[in-house]
Amino acid sequence: IPAPASVPLGRAFSKLFAAAAASNLADGIARLAIPLAAVTLTTDPVIISIFSALSYVPAIVFGLPAGMITDRMDRRHAMALANALRVVAAIGVTLVIAAGALNLWVLAVALVVFGMGETLFDNATSAVVPSVVPREGLDRANSRIQAAQLGLDMFVATPISSVLFAISVALPMIIGGAGYPVAGALVLA
């Protein structure tokens, strides 16, 4: 039996996928960079573990409100807003590092902003897929989006963030922060 011809996912999906990839790569870089930056301020293992755990709290607390926002506003605008907030957070942390005024509270606030933005962006991405892909291509499109979210965020970004941090404490914020406007532009294109 010949395999069924695959349905093209289209140009709109390609832009959405590229946006998801850029955003999730930036998320993964930030998720590791913040606890690494905290290590420059304290060696208390409890505080460092709190920072690692804090990166997942926004998804738990903000998951339902993010879904409601995604349902009530233009999803492209929600994704762009999420990335704009994360750009501001990345720039803020970078400036605080450059000024030599880095502290744990700045890192904690940035981590929460990054997590809230990630939750909103990922919810909106999943919700917009059916509007840009034909029904026959939804399985492939959703699996590609999930692969980008998990693969880039968890596996690719971690070593990149570590190398960037070894070069400079601010570099992961600069490089990671650059991924958000790229993703925002792709979403709005």
Side-chain angles (χ1 to χ4, degrees):
I1 299 174
S6 61
V7 176
L9 298 179
R11 189 170 170 84
F13 176 77
S14 295
K15 290 179 188 176
L16 179 65
F17 179 77
S23 180
N24 282 287
L25 184 61
D27 290 337
I29 289 171
R31 183 175 295 110
L32 181 63
I34 296 288
L36 286 174
V39 171
T40 67
L41 301 172
T42 181
T43 57
D44 184 342
V46 173
I47 293 174
I48 301 306
S49 65
I50 288 170
F51 271 89
S52 294
L54 185 61
S55 66
Y56 296 99
V57 169
I60 296 166
V61 174
F62 187 61
L64 286 174
M68 291 186 311
I69 291 168
T70 299
D71 286 342
R72 286 171 175 71
M73 77 184 286
D74 183 311
R75 291 170 179 141
R76 294 174 315 129
H77 294 146
M79 295 163 76
L81 173 65
N83 283 345
L85 292 173
R86 293 186 288 179
V87 166
V88 170
I91 290 170
V93 172
T94 302
L95 292 175
V96 168
I97 290 170
L102 186 62
N103 64 61
L104 294 174
W105 288 108
V106 168
L107 293 175
V109 168
L111 197 55
V112 169
V113 170
F114 287 138
M116 289 174 67
E118 179 181 15
T119 302
L120 180 57
F121 187 91
D122 289 350
N123 276 345
T125 300
S126 296
V128 83
V129 169
S131 66
V132 298
V133 173
R135 182 175 178 85
E136 302 81 28
L138 282 177
D139 289 346
R140 274 186 328 144
N142 283 325
S143 64
R144 289 183 183 179
I145 292 292
Q146 289 302 311
Q149 288 176 348
L150 296 174
L152 290 172
D153 194 334
M154 299 291 187
F155 298 110
V156 175
T158 301
I160 291 172
S161 186
S162 300
V163 169
L164 294 173
F165 184 82
I167 296 168
S168 167
V169 175
L171 200 53
M173 288 298 109
I174 295 167
I175 301 297
Y180 298 126
V182 168
L186 285 166
V187 163
L188 294 175

